[in-house]
Amino acid sequence: MSGKVTHVFTQLATDVSRLTGRPLAFVVCCVLVVLWAISGPLFGFSDTWQLVINTSTTIVTFLMVFLIQNTQNRDNSALHAKLDELIRVSKAHNSFIGIENLPDKDLEEILSELDEASTRARQEAGAPSHRRQPKTKAAPRRPARKRT
């Protein structure tokens, strides 16, 4: 896909997400549904009348899925980049940079290890434990990257 098309799509997705995420957009949709329902007797509650709302909502839903996914992917990528930069410049383990790209099994192992560490920290501080149940019984391990 060309850079211009990608830029136009990104701008469209951002604008539509901002617009449709507002309360006014919800109110407009509700008004349209009420108007459609009120028009039922005028059209004799025909199959065509029902098809209008079914087709409209299906098309809008189908298109919105892609726009919302695009917006969430960009937001998530930006958030990861910001967190990775904070990890990089702090005393945190640089091995955590990019762990979102690891296979699910490896990520679960890291999460399990972090849960155990947080439980130990709470116990040492005398705070109640809120331990998450691990999905696997594999021994937790850290990512293979070295701290810089």
Side-chain angles (χ1 to χ4, degrees):
M1 194 181 290
S2 75
K4 179 146 177 77
V5 172
T6 301
H7 176 73
V8 169
F9 178 76
T10 298
Q11 191 59 49
L12 175 72
T14 301
D15 293 344
V16 171
S17 293
R18 282 191 188 126
L19 181 67
T20 58
R22 294 188 177 166
L24 180 61
F26 178 76
V27 170
V28 167
C29 289
C30 289
V31 168
L32 289 173
V33 170
V34 168
L35 290 174
W36 169 81
I38 291 171
S39 72
L42 181 67
F43 294 100
F45 299 102
S46 68
D47 289 343
T48 303
W49 173 80
Q50 292 178 30
L51 190 60
V52 166
I53 195 72
N54 290 339
T55 304
S56 301
T57 56
T58 300
I59 290 170
V60 169
T61 301
F62 178 75
L63 295 174
M64 287 301 293
V65 164
F66 294 102
L67 291 176
I68 291 168
Q69 187 63 50
N70 175 268
T71 302
Q72 286 183 335
N73 287 346
R74 284 185 294 107
D75 288 348
N76 199 30
S77 293
L79 182 62
H80 281 290
K82 291 173 185 179
L83 289 172
D84 287 349
E85 177 62 8
L86 288 174
I87 291 169
R88 190 183 67 78
V89 300
S90 71
K91 292 182 179 182
H93 293 280
N94 285 349
S95 60
F96 286 102
I97 293 175
I99 65 170
E100 67 275 5
N101 298 315
L102 293 174
D104 288 343
K105 182 182 177 202
D106 293 344
L107 190 55
E108 279 295 323
E109 289 173 358
I110 293 168
L111 291 171
S112 178
E113 181 180 292
L114 292 172
D115 284 344
E116 289 175 11
S118 68
T119 298
R120 285 191 304 272
R122 282 190 201 95
Q123 289 171 345
E124 290 171 5
S129 175
H130 301 287
R131 185 161 188 235
R132 182 177 65 94
Q133 296 298 321
K135 292 183 182 177
T136 63
K137 295 188 178 192
R141 65 173 178 79
R142 289 221 183 263
R145 297 181 184 170
K146 292 184 179 181
R147 185 181 167 123
T148 57

